[in-house]
Amino acid sequence: MTVQLIYKLPEIAMSKEQTVLEVDAAEITKSFLEDLQKLSYYSGEPMAAIYADSLLRKMRDMLDRCIGDPYTEVVMALHDALAFQNRWIDYTKEQYQGAYELFLSLVNRKQISNEEVEDSILALDDIGFNIMPFGVQIEDNIEEDETDI
């Protein structure tokens, strides 16, 4: 008589379908609208630092989760304006309120087009946010080069 040992591996409870959690950039944008509103209220006061920190963290998280999404492009334009040399300190209540209203109008749409992205970024510029703070300075050395010849 032979004895067979059968090892039964524990069954892993997995469904045949995997559930994929899709991250919606518009939903993430909604999550920081309150921070923008609070920044507008507390602008110029020490309490503003709490909301600026929260806002910037949520924006960076959005970049990690939703890179390439049109909403992310607009959000990162504001992020750069706020984060560069801690310029969030310099912006006014009215500017934060304008950004809040802009993002509120964007999140009510399911998707935004490339043209709407460009218009939104330019609207941030019109509100007074420096949307290109990391620009490169090019010195004009043309006259010096001509005298060396």
Side-chain angles (χ1 to χ4, degrees):
M1 174 177 205
T2 58
V3 177
Q4 281 186 320
L5 295 173
I6 300 174
Y7 293 98
K8 187 173 183 181
L9 296 173
E11 290 182 27
I12 300 172
M14 288 184 69
S15 65
K16 291 182 180 180
E17 294 180 34
Q18 285 185 339
T19 304
V20 177
L21 178 62
E22 243 183 75
V23 178
D24 185 14
E27 288 302 314
I28 295 174
T29 304
K30 284 180 187 176
S31 76
F32 64 71
L33 283 174
E34 183 178 354
D35 290 330
L36 268 174
Q37 195 170 36
K38 295 285 186 175
L39 262 174
S40 174
Y41 184 79
Y42 290 108
S43 179
E45 298 178 26
M47 189 74 164
I50 295 168
Y51 299 105
D53 178 60
S54 176
L55 177 63
L56 291 169
R57 287 176 191 269
K58 288 174 185 174
M59 291 172 148
R60 285 189 293 272
D61 182 54
M62 182 176 181
L63 178 63
D64 291 341
R65 293 176 176 218
C66 305
I67 194 162
D69 187 283
Y71 284 100
T72 305
E73 291 182 45
V74 181
V75 168
M76 292 315 294
L78 179 60
H79 173 276
D80 292 348
L82 300 177
F84 183 71
Q85 297 180 344
N86 284 327
R87 294 270 169 85
W88 63 268
I89 295 169
D90 300 329
Y91 294 114
T92 66
K93 295 177 185 234
E94 293 79 15
Q95 289 170 303
Y96 285 120
Q97 185 62 36
Y100 171 81
E101 291 168 5
L102 173 69
F103 282 104
L104 185 61
S105 73
L106 290 177
V107 297
N108 289 327
R109 301 179 205 156
K110 188 63 181 164
Q111 289 187 340
I112 57 175
S113 68
N114 288 335
E115 186 176 323
E116 289 170 313
V117 168
E118 291 172 14
D119 290 345
S120 298
I121 292 172
L122 290 174
L124 286 172
D125 188 52
D126 290 343
I127 293 169
F129 290 101
N130 182 3
I131 58 169
M132 297 184 63
F134 301 106
V136 178
Q137 292 268 333
I138 300 175
E139 294 184 27
D140 188 15
N141 292 330
I142 296 173
E143 291 177 18
E144 291 176 18
D145 291 340
E146 290 176 0
T147 57
D148 292 341
I149 298 178

